Structure formats: C-alpha cells, structure tokens
DNA sequence: AAGACCTCCAACCGCGGAACG
DNA sequence: ACGTTCCGCGGTTGGAGGTCT
C-alpha cells in the first residue's frame, strides 16, 4: 500500500530505540501496529516488535552464552528440534533469534569438524562425498537438528509437550564430548569462558536507560 | 597492506494461527 | 461461519568486523 513505501527498514538508530522504548513503556508491549503508528516511527509493527523482543527488552541478557546456557540449548534442541521460541522460554534472558543464531553457528562448526573427520576416515559408500556432505550438514543443523538422528519410526505424535520424556535421543554423548573439547580448546587459547559483554551494548543500553526516568511515566 | 574469506548477529520475510468483528 | 487483522515463529539474508593468505 501507500504507507509501505515510506516505511523505514534496516538498522535501528539510537533515536528510534529511545522512541520505541518510550512508547512501549507507555502502552505496553502489545498492539505493535498501534504502537508503530502512535510512536511516529516509520517502522512496521512487526519491525518494532522484533526490535523490542530481540534487543530493547530490559529483561534480556547480552553477550556470550555461558557454558550452562550452551548445554541447555543443546539439551533442549535435542528434545524439541528447531522450536527456538520454546527453547528460549526455558533460558531466561535469551531470545529465540539469539539461540537460533548460536545453534546455526556452532552446528556449522560441528558439521565441518565431522566432515574433516569423515574425510580422514571416508565412508565406504560414497565417492561424490562433498556434495552429500553438504546436504547432510544442512539437514543436520537446519531442519530439526538431532531429531533427524532419531530412529525411524520412533517419532511419536507432535512435539507438543513431550518435554523429551518419551523422545529417544541418540547423540548427547557425542555432544557432551564436543562441548568438553570446545571448552578445553577455549581454555588453551586463554579465552575466558564467561564471555565479556559487548562494550557497544554497555554503552548504548546504559545510555539509553539512563536517559529515561521511568517514574515520570505511568 | 590488501583482498578474500569467514563468523556473527540484527533484521527481514513468509507463513500459520489466534483473536476479533 | 467467514474475512480481516495482528502476533509470533522459523527460516533466511546481508552487512560489519575479524581472520587468514
């Protein structure tokens, strides 16, 4: 429609953030289309919601995942597959987007490591390995992860509220080993496991929140 | 030094479902 | 019951910054 043509897209500016924060505080984090309109932001409601959910929400943690969180992600993903929002609900302060990104990055690494391993010990079956590996990698981390490793026919009803109790999961041992390896490597390379919070975030959020005296509103 | 390549993550898109009139 | 609007989810993309060659 006519409106869509003047909608802003792309990265949010600090002013936009401040404006959105103000209106969310005023009207709550619902009715995003309404918020987008009354705020005067030239953004869609969808875009506003996303910015709030993934970045501005003060309940969010920022910075590197802790090892505990990493474990939790792996464990929950093994139970639920790519149900990112569901996984995120179990990990306070983390968003589905963050977890999704984390998973993709780390599973890609794992897949690459596995590829290396299997090229050292190639399977007897295939000669056109690179193509099939590409496919396998994609399946593994893009489409439900470890669910794919389940034995065929084990799949029960939908994933609704199974909480993994009845799901048979196969490769957690491997995953734990990989995690241990990763942590060892991190220590060897003298990287702190508890990652540092991004200085950019420190700066911008701090300044953003400082600018607001929420007691003046409401 | 600089270009190529890689990693990370913010943001967008499309779709399905819930809510509402 | 049906159409419309809005919300939330999962998948994907693009760009910034870092690393490698």
């Amino acid at each position: 429609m006519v409106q869509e043509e003047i909608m802003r897209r792309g990265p949010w500016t600090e002013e936009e953030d401040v404006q959105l924060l103000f209106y969310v505080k005023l009207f709550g984090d619902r009715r995003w289309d309404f918020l987008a309109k009354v705020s005067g932001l030239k953004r869609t409601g969808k875009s506003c919601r996303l910015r709030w959910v993934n970045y501005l929400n003060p309940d969010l943690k920022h910075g590197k995942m802790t090892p505990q969180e990493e474990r939790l992600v792996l464990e929950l993903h093994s139970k639920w597959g790519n149900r990112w929002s569901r996984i995120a609900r179990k990990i306070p302060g983390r968003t589905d987007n963050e977890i999704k990104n984390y998973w993709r990055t780390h599973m890609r690494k794992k897949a690459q490591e596995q590829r290396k391993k299997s090229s050292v010990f190639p399977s007897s079956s295939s000669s056109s390995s690179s193509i099939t590996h590409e496919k396998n990698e994609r399946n593994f981390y893009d489409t439900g992860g470890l669910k794919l490793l389940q034995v065929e026919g084990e799949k029960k009803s939908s994933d609704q509220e199974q909480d993994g109790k009845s799901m048979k999961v196969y490769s957690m041992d491997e995953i734990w080993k990989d995690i241990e390896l990763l942590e060892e490597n991190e220590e060897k390379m003298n990287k702190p496991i508890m990652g540092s919070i991004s200085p950019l975030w420190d700066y911008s959020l701090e300044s953003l929140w400082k600018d607001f005296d929420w007691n003046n509103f409401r």
Side-chain angles (χ1 to χ4, degrees):
Chain A
M1 298 199 178
V2 187
Q3 265 185 328
E4 282 165 22
E5 285 163 27
I6 55 165
M7 285 299 175
R8 260 183 60 75
R9 294 179 52 188
W12 282 66
T13 66
E14 197 168 327
E15 293 91 80
E16 286 178 313
D17 282 346
V18 169
Q19 213 169 329
L20 181 59
L21 274 169
F22 173 77
Y23 282 93
V24 168
K25 189 67 188 174
L26 212 53
F27 296 111
D29 56 351
R30 293 270 152 181
R31 309 286 308 170
W32 291 106
D33 275 7
F34 168 76
L35 266 174
K37 273 174 199 151
V38 297
S39 66
L41 288 163
K42 291 180 170 50
R43 297 277 185 173
T44 63
K46 226 173 173 180
S47 178
C48 293
R49 176 186 162 272
L50 204 70
R51 185 61 178 170
W52 170 259
V53 166
N54 286 330
Y55 191 80
L56 294 175
N57 187 339
D59 295 335
L60 294 179
K61 286 183 204 166
H62 293 270
K64 247 185 114 182
M65 293 246 193
T66 65
Q68 289 83 359
E69 286 172 328
E70 290 176 355
R71 281 200 175 85
L72 206 48
V73 169
L74 287 167
E75 196 182 326
L76 294 176
H77 186 273
S78 77
K79 290 176 184 174
W80 297 332
N82 295 4
R83 305 295 299 272
W84 306 116
S85 61
R86 197 167 167 194
I87 293 171
R89 270 179 241 130
K90 297 282 179 189
I91 308 177
R94 299 297 182 183
T95 68
D96 56 348
N97 211 26
E98 209 173 355
I99 293 167
K100 186 166 56 183
N101 283 331
Y102 166 80
W103 180 263
R104 286 181 62 85
T105 303
H106 288 75
M107 286 308 107
R108 184 178 288 138
K109 264 187 207 163
K110 277 188 198 304
Q112 278 167 356
E113 279 164 19
Q114 280 193 337
R115 193 188 309 174
K116 274 181 203 164
K117 275 182 211 163
S118 59
S119 66
V120 175
F121 305 106
S123 82
S124 56
S125 62
S126 165
S127 55
S128 59
S129 56
S130 72
I131 292 166
T132 39
H133 278 267
E134 208 67 59
K135 278 183 182 169
N136 288 343
E137 173 188 340
R138 203 173 167 76
N139 281 340
F140 180 70
Y141 68 77
D142 276 351
T143 58
L146 296 168
K147 270 203 292 192
L148 293 167
L149 298 176
Q150 287 172 234
V151 171
E152 225 10 72
E154 282 270 33
K155 248 196 250 170
K156 299 221 166 173
S157 55
S158 77
D159 50 5
Q160 287 288 323
E161 301 315 321
Q162 291 181 56
D163 281 359
K165 280 169 194 156
S166 60
M167 299 266 279
K168 193 166 181 182
V169 175
Y170 281 85
S171 57
M172 285 310 287
D173 285 350
E174 286 175 7
I175 289 171
W176 300 137
K177 275 182 209 159
D178 276 346
I179 292 169
E180 279 164 17
L181 262 177
L182 273 175
E183 285 173 0
E184 275 174 25
N185 287 342
E186 275 179 336
E187 275 164 10
K188 277 180 198 159
M189 294 171 77
N190 224 1
K191 277 190 200 163
I193 287 178
M194 298 291 282
S196 54
I197 305 271
S198 149
L200 178 67
W201 173 256
D202 269 347
Y203 166 75
S204 55
L205 230 215
E206 224 176 89
S207 61
L208 262 182
W209 289 108
K210 251 192 287 176
D211 287 345
F212 275 97
D213 180 3
W214 296 116
N215 296 326
N216 286 342
F217 309 106
R218 301 244 113 189

